[in-house]
Amino acid sequence: MVSRRNFFAITIVMGIIFFLFQFSNIAKERWNHYEENSYVMNKKDLPTDRTVYQAGQNGKTAAESVVYIGKDPNTSCAEVVSDWALYAKKESLVYTNFSGLDQAVSTGKTELPALVLIESSDINWNDTKELEEMEHYAENGVTLIFSQMPDLKLIKEKKAIRKLLGIYSVEKDKTEVKGIQLYEGLLLGGNTFYEAETKEEKKNQDFDLEFPWYKLETGTKSYMRGVPKDSKVKSENYPPVIWSKSFKEGNVFVINGDFMEDATGLGLLTGILYETSEYALYPVVNAQNLILANYPGMAEENDAQMKEIYSQSLRGVFRDVVWPSVSAVYEKNQLGLTCMLTPQFDYDDKNEPDKADLEYYLRIINEEKGEAGLSGYCVSETSIKQKLKADKAYIQKAVPGYQFASFYKGNLSNTELANALNEAALESVRTVIEDGEKTSDVIGYQNRNVTKQKSVISGFKHTYCDDFRMKSVESALGYTSILADMSKVAYPESKNDRWEKLSEKFAAYTTSYWKDFEDFDGTTTAESDLRIRKFLALNYEQEKKEDTITLDVSNVGDTSWFILRTHDRKIEKVNGGSYKKIEDDVWLIQTEKSHVTIKLKAEDGMYYH
C-alpha cells in the first residue's frame, strides 16, 4: 500500500507536471503570433535591381574578366559565363572568335582575361594559326576552358590538337564505363563515386557512360574520370572526363560533357579559378532552403481518389499523413522551411477552403520557425487574377490582415507572373520561387523590387547529375533550394506519386546529401531573399601579403559571407569577422566589419603551385 505521505507527494508532483504542461501549451499559444507574418517588410527599404554590382560598370575596366568565345552569344554556355561573372563580381565579355579578343587586348580595350570559355564546336580545328593562338594565350597566363570536345577524327589526326588538350593518344574510340568518379578539390563535398550497384541506384544513373578513352600526357591533372568495368585498370589510367594541362604560365581545362550548359558550370568555373590560384576568396549567399510547394491544400478536393488511396479526405491526408513525416524530416536537417500554401487546387468546383485549416497551419509553421508563402498553382482553367482574388477573400476572412513575402510561380507563364505581381494580394511579396533545374541564373531579380530564387533540385528526385549540379551550386554560391511539389500528392498520376513512395525519397534525400553543407545557414525564402539582395549588391577588394589576406567589403553594411579555399593552409585568426571550417582547406568567413584581415598559419614547408 501507498502511505498517505507518499500519496500526497505523488499527487503534488503530478499536479506540478500537469501545471507545467498546461503552462507550456498556454505560453506557446500566447507567444505564437501566427496571425502576423514576421517576414513581411516594406520593399521600399530594401535594395533593388539598381543596386546590383556589375564589374566594369561606369566604364571602369574590371580587375579580372571572363570571356566567352562562340558564334552565338545566346547559348547556354554563354549564359553560364554571364551569370557566373555577375555572381563572382567579374566582367563578362563575349567574342565570336579569337581575333576579336586579340584586337581588344592589343588596343588596350581590355586586359588579358582570367578565364576564357571556348565553344569547341565553333572553333576551326583545321586552322593551325588558331591553334597556335590559343596555345599562346595559355603560355601567357590565361586559363582556357573547352566545353565539349572536337571531332575524334581530328584529335587522332592532328598532334597540335592533342598537344593543346593534353592528350597523348586515343586509347579507345569508345568505351562504356560503369560509373563516374569526382575527385576532391574541384568542388566542395569531397571525393564522390557516381556508380550504381543496385537496381534502385540504377534509376539515378544519368551520366553519359559511353565516351572516347583518352590517354593523357604528363603534366595533366584529372578531376573527374570514368570507372572502367575492368577492375584491373589502375585509377590513374581511368578514362578522363574533366582534366587540365599546365603550360608555362596558364592552363587548359577540358570539359568532356555538357556540364557547362546549366548551373553545374557555376561551380566548375569557381573550382577552376581556385585550382589556378594560390587561394580563392569569394562571396556567397549562405542560404539553404527547403520549399514545400502547393502545401497544404485546404479544400476537400479529388475526394474519390483520396479516399481510395488513403481512406480519408485531402485535408486529412495533408494534416495527418504528410505533415508528421515532413516535420520529422525537417527536424533532422539544417535547412530552413517554407510552405507555399494552396487554398484550393480546383477553383471550378464548389468546394471552399476551410477557415480553421489556415489558422492551424499558420500556427504550426510558425512554431517550426518556418515561413508561409502563397502558391500560384492551380489545376483548373481559372485565371491568375481570379485565383488571387479568391485566395485573398479567403485569407482575409480567416486571418484578417495577413500578407505574404514569398510567392511560388507554379505553372504560370512569365506574362502571367508579371501580371500577378501587380495584384493587391501580392503587394507584400518580395521574392518569387520557380523551378530552375535546367538554368544557371539561380538567383537574381524578377523585377525592380522582387527577387527570383530558382530551385536547384527536387525533393523527390536526386539523380547523379542532380547531385553533381547541387555540389556545384553549393561550391559557387553556398546556396541550395530544394523544391518538393506536393501537388503530386493531391492529384497523383501514378502509384509513384503516392505519399508512401514520395516520403521515402523525400526523407532519404533531404537527410543524406546535405551533410557536407550543414555549416551553411538554413533560411526561409524571405530570409534568403535578404541575403540574395545583399550578395548581388556587394563589392569587395582583396589582397594577400605574406601570410595575411586583407578583405575590404562595400555596399552591404558589415555582415556578409565569403568562402576561403586554401591549398593546405590553415587559418590562425580573423580580425573583423569570424570563421568556421566547412571541410579541409575550405572556410566560411562571416564579415562583421567592412575591413577584415585573415591571418594564415605559417606553412610547414615549401608550396609549389
Side-chain angles (χ1 to χ4, degrees):
M1 292 183 60
V2 179
S3 66
R4 290 183 179 180
R5 186 173 183 177
N6 287 340
F7 177 79
F8 182 69
I10 291 171
T11 303
I12 291 176
V13 171
M14 291 179 65
I16 293 173
I17 293 173
F18 177 77
F19 171 78
L20 291 175
F21 179 77
Q22 289 293 99
F23 176 78
S24 63
N25 282 318
I26 293 171
K28 184 186 292 186
E29 179 71 24
R30 177 165 294 186
W31 293 336
N32 187 345
H33 299 291
Y34 67 87
E35 70 281 356
E36 298 177 3
N37 190 341
S38 61
Y39 296 104
V40 170
M41 302 175 67
N42 189 338
K43 289 185 283 189
K44 294 180 180 179
D45 299 330
L46 301 175
T48 68
D49 65 345
R50 291 183 175 180
T51 66
V52 175
Y53 175 80
Q54 293 186 347
Q57 61 188 357
N58 301 323
K60 295 181 180 179
T61 302
E64 287 186 332
S65 62
V66 56
V67 168
Y68 170 79
I69 293 182
K71 294 178 181 179
D72 184 0
N74 298 313
T75 63
S76 298
C77 286
E79 291 176 1
V80 168
V81 170
S82 177
D83 292 329
W84 180 79
L86 176 68
Y87 302 148
K89 316 298 176 180
K90 302 188 185 302
E91 187 175 10
S92 174
L93 304 171
V94 177
Y95 298 97
T96 56
N97 51 48
F98 270 94
S99 298
L101 176 59
D102 283 340
Q103 186 177 1
V105 172
S106 61
T107 58
K109 187 177 179 180
T110 185
E111 298 178 3
L112 279 175
L115 304 176
V116 177
L117 178 64
I118 303 164
E119 195 80 60
S120 296
S121 59
D122 292 340
I123 293 296
N124 183 1
W125 293 98
N126 287 306
D127 188 342
T128 303
K129 184 179 179 181
E130 192 159 16
L131 292 174
E132 291 175 349
E133 196 170 22
M134 289 188 286
E135 186 172 336
H136 173 75
Y137 272 99
E139 291 284 5
N140 284 274
V142 178
T143 295
L144 305 182
I145 307 165
F146 292 94
S147 64
Q148 301 287 355
M149 295 287 290
D151 186 81
L152 181 62
K153 183 179 179 182
L154 287 174
I155 294 176
K156 296 172 76 173
E157 290 177 353
K158 293 186 176 294
K159 183 178 180 180
I161 296 177
R162 297 197 299 274
K163 179 184 177 185
L164 178 66
L165 301 181
I167 298 172
Y168 177 75
S169 63
V170 178
E171 193 83 358
K172 290 182 180 180
D173 288 7
K174 186 181 292 185
T175 186
E176 185 176 356
V177 297
K178 63 180 181 180
I180 300 291
Q181 181 180 5
L182 171 66
Y183 296 100
E184 63 180 348
L186 188 64
L187 303 178
L188 304 189
N191 185 60
T192 307
F193 279 93
Y194 295 113
E195 183 179 341
E197 297 181 347
T198 66
K199 184 178 180 180
E200 191 63 31
E201 289 175 347
K202 287 180 180 179
K203 296 177 183 178
N204 297 326
Q205 180 55 275
D206 55 347
F207 276 104
D208 185 358
L209 300 180
E210 193 172 271
F211 46 83
W213 188 336
Y214 302 109
K215 185 176 181 181
L216 301 181
E217 293 180 346
T218 56
T220 58
K221 180 179 180 179
S222 293
Y223 299 95
M224 181 182 276
R225 287 181 178 269
V227 182
K229 294 182 177 181
D230 184 357
S231 59
K232 296 180 180 179
V233 178
K234 295 182 179 179
S235 60
E236 61 266 25
N237 294 325
Y238 285 179
V241 178
I242 299 176
W243 70 91
S244 69
K245 177 185 176 179
S246 298
F247 284 80
K248 184 177 180 181
E249 297 290 340
N251 298 270
V252 166
F253 279 76
V254 182
I255 314 292
N256 186 14
D258 58 359
F259 307 124
M260 297 302 300
E261 296 181 5
D262 62 15
T264 308
L266 301 176
L268 294 179
L269 290 172
T270 301
I272 288 170
L273 193 64
Y274 164 63
E275 281 293 301
T276 56
S277 307
E278 183 183 355
Y279 70 97
L281 179 64
Y282 55 92
V284 292
V285 179
N286 187 21
Q288 309 284 288
N289 304 327
L290 173 60
I291 302 164
L292 303 184
N294 306 313
Y295 180 82
M298 303 171 195
E300 301 290 16
E301 301 182 45
N302 201 17
D303 197 53
Q305 192 175 20
M306 290 296 100
K307 288 185 176 178
E308 178 186 348
I309 299 173
Y310 302 104
S311 299
Q312 56 181 311
S313 67
L314 175 61
R315 291 172 55 222
V317 170
F318 275 159
R319 183 185 63 245
D320 303 329
V321 179
V322 175
W323 177 256
S325 56
V326 164
S327 180
V329 170
Y330 168 63
E331 292 291 339
K332 293 180 180 179
N333 60 56
Q334 302 296 318
L335 303 163
L337 177 66
T338 303
C339 296
M340 295 298 182
L341 311 183
T342 308
Q344 302 178 69
F345 287 96
D346 188 349
Y347 288 77
D348 290 340
D349 63 19
K350 296 181 180 180
N351 298 316
E352 296 294 326
D354 191 282
K355 172 186 173 181
D357 279 9
L358 181 60
E359 296 174 341
Y360 170 76
Y361 282 111
L362 290 180
R363 182 182 293 110
I364 61 174
I365 291 170
N366 210 38
E367 286 176 1
E368 296 288 355
K369 295 182 172 58
E371 177 193 354
L374 186 65
S375 172
Y377 178 86
C378 70
V379 298
S380 57
E381 295 297 323
T382 311
S383 71
I384 183 60
K385 186 173 183 178
Q386 291 173 312
K387 170 185 160 47
L388 291 176
K389 183 179 179 180
D391 289 350
K392 184 178 181 181
Y394 161 68
I395 291 164
Q396 295 308 312
K397 184 178 180 180
V399 186
Y402 198 87
Q403 296 177 307
F404 296 98
S406 304
F407 181 69
Y408 173 57
K409 180 181 178 182
N411 53 359
L412 297 178
S413 67
N414 290 332
T415 301
E416 289 174 321
L417 175 61
N419 292 334
L421 293 174
N422 291 322
E423 294 294 322
L426 303 184
E427 62 182 350
S428 296
V429 165
R430 52 188 170 87
T431 190
V432 172
I433 313 302
E434 62 180 288
D435 176 25
E437 291 185 34
K438 302 300 181 182
T439 62
S440 57
D441 59 332
V442 290
I443 57 173
Y445 277 89
Q446 187 69 37
N447 61 31
R448 176 61 52 81
N449 298 304
V450 178
T451 61
K452 63 181 177 183
Q453 305 181 50
K454 295 187 176 181
S455 65
V456 176
I457 199 167
S458 167
F460 302 133
K461 180 176 72 73
H462 199 104
T463 68
Y464 292 159
C465 283
D466 289 338
D467 188 78
F468 188 36
R469 183 178 61 252
M470 179 271 290
K471 281 183 166 62
S472 295
V473 177
E474 291 279 27
S475 300
L477 300 174
Y479 170 85
T480 199
S481 181
I482 308 171
L483 182 66
D485 184 359
M486 295 296 184
S487 66
K488 295 175 180 289
V489 181
Y491 285 84
E493 296 180 359
S494 69
K495 291 183 178 180
N496 291 328
D497 291 337
R498 296 182 179 183
W499 182 244
E500 63 265 24
K501 295 284 186 179
L502 293 176
S503 62
E504 290 179 6
K505 297 177 181 179
F506 180 72
Y509 297 156
T510 55
T511 56
S512 301
Y513 294 102
W514 278 267
K515 294 293 184 182
D516 294 323
F517 309 105
E518 59 187 7
D519 287 314
F520 291 122
D521 292 343
T523 56
T524 69
T525 53
E527 291 172 328
S528 178
D529 162 69
L530 294 178
R531 298 189 178 203
I532 287 170
R533 292 173 190 265
K534 181 175 288 193
F535 169 81
L536 292 174
L538 176 149
N539 184 26
Y540 71 101
E541 294 180 359
Q542 59 172 302
E543 183 182 18
K544 183 176 181 294
K545 290 184 178 179
E546 297 180 346
D547 293 329
T548 300
I549 300 172
T550 302
L551 173 65
D552 290 293
V553 184
S554 57
N555 299 346
V556 294
D558 293 336
T559 304
S560 58
W561 293 270
F562 285 75
I563 281 180
L564 172 64
R565 300 183 67 180
T566 62
H567 297 277
D568 298 322
R569 298 296 301 272
K570 304 294 185 291
I571 294 178
E572 184 174 305
K573 65 177 180 178
V574 173
N575 292 324
S578 59
Y579 68 96
K580 57 182 174 181
K581 183 178 178 181
I582 297 177
E583 60 184 63
D584 288 344
D585 303 335
V586 182
W587 315 84
L588 180 64
I589 308 294
Q590 178 177 324
T591 66
E592 296 165 0
K593 296 181 179 180
S594 59
H595 180 75
V596 179
T597 58
I598 304 169
K599 181 72 166 59
L600 302 178
K601 292 182 179 179
E603 294 180 276
D604 295 332
M606 294 294 292
Y607 170 74
Y608 295 95
H609 178 68

